[in-house]
Amino acid sequence: HREAQRLAGTEALESPKVVLHLRSPFLRWGAGPRATGKDTMGDLPRDPGHVVEQLSRSLQTLKDRLESLEHQLRANVSNAGLPGDFREVLQRRLGELERQLLRKVAELEDEKSLLHNETSAHRQKTESTLNALLQRVTELERGNSAFKSPDAFKVSLPLRTNYLYGKIKKTLPELYAFTICLWLRSSASPGIGTPFSYAVPGQANEIVLIEWGNNPIELLINDKVAQLPLFVSDGKWHHICVTWTTRDGMWEAFQDGEKLGTGENLAPWHPIKPGGVLILGQEQDTVGGRFDATQAFVGELSQFNIWDRVLRAQEIVNIANCSTNMPGNIIPWVDNNVDVFGGASKWPVETCEERLLDL
């Protein structure tokens, strides 16, 4: 306990104004996953004294890494910006740091019920130390938030939880046809989870793309299901497009520009309802919430675009081979239209360049 109190009283060092978009739901003791959610972090020691001692050591390690990173930044940052190779090293280090910090914050959240008998002063000091660390990480990460162009970014969802997700700020109008395309990369097993879901009042499964457990990838419209012959869980970037029209419920599925499947009678004559919520990485059981960790997407997403028509096959080929930049006319992929929550993050990326590295 004395070690935790000593660590909690340490003043945070001044940091260079350099940020990822680390938004943790655990900055307040009352926040965090719902009590009914699945425990995806594993069991921890049940002795509160041991937990405090373990937390103290972990926080000290994080402080040391932050201070080392700050010294490196002071030595390398110039008015001209970071060199390309150093920026990549910095991004990787910040990613590693973010994942470590998320694990420690999650451990603290899981153990808070055991620590309620500790004094209020002790809890406040521990929380103050965590907040100081998170603030310093946020300041360090801010420098990496500038993208080459508004669409040159990806959303990273590294953990299978019920609280990491992205949210599209815009909503959909009433639609009688659509094409939805995105780049994704995942090696999660079993199943990549839910790349995106659209829920409206009265229908949580208005539009959902999901691969859950050992089932094939499925497209749900108005809770009706079509199984898609897509295979994307190999850890490489893939370009995915699905098209649909209310006329006879016709649908098509494309992977990397090639049409792999088509069918009909998927919610025929049902217009897509307007005014709902678009979520990246989670399946919604109510509008905007009640996520299930077992259905969460694990991996990276980019270039999520929606059109209000069925794109021609050649248009999809041109997008997939990066010969055409064609933003969605209903939902375009731009930085200021995507928010991330719970530790999900946005990183600079050139998807076509990264795909070449996968070949």
Side-chain angles (χ1 to χ4, degrees), residues 36 42 61 119 153 238-239 285 298 309 316 322 353:
T36 58
T61 299
T119 65
F153 71 99
H238 291 286
H239 187 258
D285 283 341
V298 182
R309 64 182 178 89
I316 293 175
C322 302
E353 294 179 6

Side-chain angles (χ1 to χ4, degrees), residues 157-158 160 184-193 211 232-238 297-300:
L157 302 159
R160 179 154 277 169
L184 60 79
R185 177 164 66 178
S186 177
S187 56
S189 179
I192 64 170
E211 184 182 54
V232 296
S233 59
D234 58 359
K236 299 181 178 181
W237 280 107
H238 291 286
F297 175 82
V298 182
E300 298 174 320

